Amino acid sequence: AQSVSQHNHHVILSEAASLELGCNYSYGGTVNLFWYVQYPGQHLQLLLKYFSGDPLVKGIKGFEAEFIKSKFSFNLRKPSVQWSDTAEYFCAVNAGSSNTGKLIFGQGTTLQVKP
Amino acid sequence: NAGVTQTPKFQVLKTGQSMTLQCAQDMNHEYMSWYRQDPGMGLRLIHYSVGAGITDQGEVPNGYNVSRSTTEDFPLRLLSAAPSQTSVYFCASRSIARLRGGDTEAFFGQGTRLTVV
């Protein structure tokens, strides 16, 4: 069965620090990968997505992620975080046929940025 | 643009009561799904549908029923509420995009915070 694992459950950073959140998935075939963000009290919003092509994907608000197929990883990065990045971050995978539509999420990582 | 609309936003139920969480989307998306969000467990898929008349179980389907009579609506029914069903529920939709040959992002509703006492 497909699964997604996020290594960091709770991350605390100071403003301007660099961020890297780990995400690994288990599926040997073609995958589509996503990072979603949930700001306090809000619904999930898409940060970035990977379908094919350049494995380094750039998203909104300065976030980027790198797909490393050999490591089954899709880590999220940001060079310099801001207080407004405080949120919960979810990695998700859609494995197999692109017509299934089923998204599997990781456990989430809570990011707290101190001003 | 309404997107994905969930109602109600908050609900308190007594153990054993039944209720329906509503979800509607106006983007003509084929795929709709229900997730529950619990601390430390991320979002877990309850049920999903790839089109009207077609539904399937996700990771945690027990205690929930769904139906998909139209493309727009995908209600989630709690048959007999239990305290273990206290959670935040999210509905999501996405376009399967068969003709374009690729997937698209999922759009989420605002969530329903359910408490079962």
Side-chain angles (χ1 to χ4, degrees):
Chain A
Q2 308 159 23
S3 67
V4 180
S5 177
Q6 292 181 238
H7 317 299
N8 320 99
H9 298 298
H10 198 160
V11 174
I12 302 173
L13 295 172
S14 297
E15 273 194 316
S18 64
L19 169 72
E20 181 160 2
L21 301 182
C23 173
N24 285 90
Y25 63 93
S26 64
Y27 186 75
T30 303
V31 291
N32 304 138
L33 298 157
F34 306 82
W35 275 97
Y36 280 84
V37 60
Q38 185 180 30
Y39 297 105
Q42 296 189 26
H43 64 291
L44 278 78
Q45 304 169 45
L46 183 70
L47 265 183
L48 47 80
K49 57 187 176 184
Y50 171 81
F51 291 137
S52 63
D54 190 343
L56 184 61
V57 179
K58 295 193 183 298
I60 61 171
K61 304 187 180 184
F63 286 92
E64 64 178 32
E66 185 175 11
F67 170 52
I68 303 179
K69 189 175 181 179
S70 60
K71 294 185 178 180
F72 299 90
S73 70
F74 191 55
N75 293 354
L76 181 71
R77 298 194 293 249
K78 186 171 183 178
S80 176
V81 295
Q82 302 172 319
W83 176 79
S84 57
D85 293 325
T86 294
E88 190 157 16
Y89 293 81
F90 294 94
C91 182
V93 62
N94 175 195
S97 164
S98 65
N99 292 335
T100 64
K102 192 164 68 170
L103 272 180
I104 302 298
F105 284 84
Q107 305 93 321
T109 298
T110 300
L111 172 64
Q112 183 183 351
V113 180
K114 295 183 176 180
Chain B
N1 293 333
V4 179
T5 304
Q6 283 183 241
T7 56
K9 290 186 179 179
F10 301 94
Q11 183 70 49
V12 178
L13 289 179
K14 293 182 178 178
T15 298
Q17 285 185 312
S18 63
M19 80 158 292
T20 299
L21 279 62
Q22 301 291 345
C23 176
Q25 53 93 9
D26 61 359
M27 298 172 281
N28 202 32
H29 286 167
E30 304 95 327
Y31 179 84
M32 296 185 74
S33 55
W34 278 100
Y35 292 87
R36 58 177 290 173
Q37 183 181 20
D38 301 290
M41 305 190 76
L43 279 80
R44 291 181 292 170
L45 184 64
I46 304 172
H47 285 285
Y48 65 99
S49 167
V50 297
I54 306 169
T55 64
D56 206 346
Q57 296 181 348
E59 304 168 75
V60 288
N62 292 340
Y64 307 95
N65 270 0
V66 292
S67 59
R68 184 91 180 272
S69 56
T70 67
T71 300
E72 294 78 20
D73 300 297
F74 191 46
L76 177 72
R77 281 182 286 277
L78 279 69
L79 309 172
S80 177
S84 61
Q85 292 178 305
T86 293
S87 186
V88 180
Y89 292 84
F90 286 99
C91 177
S93 77
R94 65 196 302 211
S95 168
I96 302 292
R98 290 185 177 90
L99 293 178
R100 296 198 299 274
D103 273 328
T104 57
E105 69 182 274
F107 292 84
F108 285 81
Q110 295 285 345
T112 297
R113 186 173 294 275
L114 175 68
T115 303
V116 182
V117 299

